[in-house]
Amino acid sequence: MRRVEIPKPDGGVRKLGIQTVLHPSDEDLSLGTPVLDRFIQQAVMQVLQRQWDRTFSDYSYGFRPGRSAHQAVAKAQQYIAEGRGWCVDLDLEKLVDRVNHDKLMGQIAKRVGDKRLLKLIRAFLNAGVMENGLASPSVEGTPQGGPLSPLLSNLVRDELDRELERRGHRYVRYADDCNIYVRSQRAGQRVMASVTQFITKELKLKVNETKSAVARPQERKFLGFSFTAGPEIKRVIAPKALDRFKQRIREITRRAKGVSMQTTIEELAPYMRGWRSYFGYCETPEVLVSLTRWVRLRLRAAMWRQWKTPRRRREALLELGVRIRLARNTAGSGLGPWYLAKAKALSVGLSNAYFKSLGLPSLIEE
């Protein structure tokens, strides 16, 4: 398989293995074993998932049919509303990259009796990767990027799930994001110490101490969301998610100088729709209204820069239906694009309806 590095939002990279579809007679250069075809992995995954999924913990939400990140966030919200006002936020260091193959195959063998299937899965785990033109074997971890990877990753994490259940914890896990909710800071510190010891000694894994913490849920993020304090607990968009949204919008609108507004909006639209479908789950619609307005201001400022000269700006405003005197006064202003993006002339000429006609979506469901 070919190694591809995908940047993480918070820094670092996630290494994915992209399967190459080869003839069954082709052999992996590093190990001499058949390279598993992506379609075979998909077939194996579908069969095993039907058998295994019902055995996984009810506290696990990632990469499972009928379960979602939104459900995980809602469950966390429920725990907080019940009075569990402290969060043990655990971050495991490269869990799926460090798992021992023999131990994982032992777990799989407890669920799979067919030796041919076990051999096939072992070949998938051992398949080498091509990185910078060099082939190297995989000696540990579950390769990320293939159809079977999410299922194996849930199996790897199942041992931790079962231990947390045995201890009676109220927790939510989605992939590597695991939050345990308790009623006091002291209880949280005690849980952090004991669970970290279990992970280190029993699972032979390491907790990332710089990213893990015992804190109020309002001080942490979970799957891009956070929560308000007070008697009514609400879902809010985490500050880092808001920052990433604005950074992406800035990147797109900066490029608007040399292209048409239609082209810019065609690039913005799919990103905004995808972002809305996920973060529209928040319970603070005023934030979505504010962000939509901010995007329009970015576009008005970009258009103002495109027009460049006072004469062109005046003509453009007149073409957009702005009154002569208002168009002339605004076009002759020496104020900056961001300030003038809020001016009446641009609000009238480049109205909300104008952007909607070009296909710009709103972050509020309409």
Side-chain angles (χ1 to χ4, degrees):
M1 67 180 70
R2 182 167 55 91
R3 177 76 78 196
V4 177
E5 294 185 351
I6 306 297
K8 293 182 179 180
D10 296 331
V13 296
R14 176 176 285 106
K15 294 186 176 182
L16 300 184
I18 307 301
Q19 274 67 39
T20 52
V21 182
L22 300 180
H23 188 275
S25 64
D26 290 328
E27 293 190 331
D28 174 65
L29 296 176
S30 60
L31 299 180
T33 58
V35 176
L36 292 178
D37 180 88
R38 185 177 183 87
F39 301 110
I40 296 177
Q41 280 194 47
Q42 182 70 29
V44 171
M45 184 277 293
Q46 289 177 347
V47 172
L48 295 183
Q49 188 166 60
R50 284 196 295 269
Q51 298 174 2
W52 294 4
D53 189 74
R54 61 179 177 268
T55 71
F56 290 148
S57 170
D58 286 340
Y59 296 91
S60 165
Y61 289 85
F63 313 122
R64 298 182 61 186
R67 291 180 166 241
S68 68
H70 287 171
Q71 291 175 340
V73 172
K75 178 59 72 172
Q77 183 181 11
Q78 175 189 325
Y79 290 146
I80 300 166
E82 290 172 351
R84 295 177 174 84
W86 287 87
C87 170
V88 180
D89 188 350
L90 286 169
D91 185 276
L92 303 182
E93 281 194 357
K94 299 181 178 179
L95 187 152
V96 295
D97 293 337
R98 296 180 181 273
V99 64
N100 181 276
H101 284 178
D102 291 333
K103 183 176 181 178
L104 176 57
M105 288 304 303
Q107 290 178 274
I108 297 172
K110 293 177 183 178
R111 297 167 178 258
V112 175
D114 191 321
K115 292 184 178 180
R116 294 171 299 176
L117 183 54
L118 290 173
K119 184 177 180 180
L120 196 62
I121 296 173
R122 168 72 81 167
F124 164 62
L125 290 175
N126 291 342
V129 296
M130 185 71 70
E131 193 169 9
N132 298 323
L134 299 175
S136 59
S138 298
V139 296
E140 63 178 1
T142 63
Q144 300 182 64
L148 193 55
S149 299
L151 183 62
L152 294 181
S153 297
N154 270 331
L155 184 61
V156 169
R157 300 173 178 97
D158 191 56
E159 192 172 351
L160 173 61
D161 288 341
R162 295 307 175 190
E163 179 63 20
L164 295 179
E165 281 188 14
R166 188 186 69 78
R167 297 184 183 194
H169 290 311
R170 297 293 182 268
Y171 77 98
V172 185
R173 185 181 65 74
Y174 189 98
D176 287 335
D177 289 308
C178 181
N179 284 3
I180 306 170
Y181 294 91
V182 296
R183 295 185 182 276
S184 69
Q185 183 179 22
R186 186 174 180 181
Q189 292 170 341
R190 184 172 61 249
V191 169
M192 174 67 84
S194 63
V195 172
T196 298
Q197 185 178 38
F198 172 80
I199 291 170
T200 303
K201 292 188 175 181
E202 301 298 327
L203 302 184
K204 308 301 181 186
L205 297 169
K206 189 176 180 181
V207 173
N208 188 331
E209 295 182 0
T210 61
K211 292 185 178 181
S212 301
V214 176
R216 293 287 191 181
Q218 295 77 22
E219 300 169 7
R220 308 296 292 179
K221 65 179 179 66
F222 182 56
L223 302 177
F225 291 90
S226 188
F227 305 93
T228 60
E232 186 179 0
I233 307 300
K234 291 185 177 182
R235 300 182 296 270
V236 298
I237 303 171
K240 285 187 177 180
L242 291 173
D243 290 342
R244 286 196 294 271
F245 173 82
K246 287 191 171 184
Q247 181 58 35
R248 179 62 177 149
I249 298 300
R250 288 189 184 101
E251 290 172 359
I252 296 173
T253 53
R254 283 193 192 111
R255 296 196 292 269
K257 186 176 181 180
V259 298
S260 69
M261 183 56 63
Q262 182 71 61
T263 300
T264 299
I265 289 178
E266 286 174 358
E267 186 176 359
L268 280 173
Y271 175 73
M272 290 179 64
R273 281 194 292 266
W275 198 88
R276 180 184 65 191
S277 69
Y278 185 77
F279 287 105
Y281 190 60
C282 75
E283 295 176 308
T284 50
E286 63 276 8
V287 174
L288 301 179
V289 171
S290 177
L291 286 176
T292 301
R293 178 176 180 271
W294 180 80
V295 171
R296 294 192 190 109
L297 289 175
R298 290 285 308 180
L299 292 173
R300 288 178 184 128
M303 184 67 87
W304 190 253
R305 292 188 184 95
Q306 275 192 13
W307 291 335
K308 295 182 180 179
T309 66
R311 179 179 178 180
R312 174 67 187 114
R313 288 168 176 169
R314 183 177 65 255
E315 292 174 351
L317 290 173
L318 291 173
E319 289 172 4
L320 290 167
V322 178
R323 288 181 288 110
I324 295 176
R325 184 175 179 181
L326 182 58
R328 184 174 62 246
N329 290 342
T330 306
S333 174
L335 296 172
W338 183 248
Y339 184 90
L340 290 173
K342 306 171 188 177
K344 183 178 180 180
L346 273 73
S347 297
V348 172
L350 301 176
S351 64
N352 296 355
Y354 169 81
F355 288 123
K356 184 177 181 179
S357 71
L358 294 181
L360 183 71
S362 169
L363 295 177
I364 297 292
E365 293 287 353
E366 298 174 345

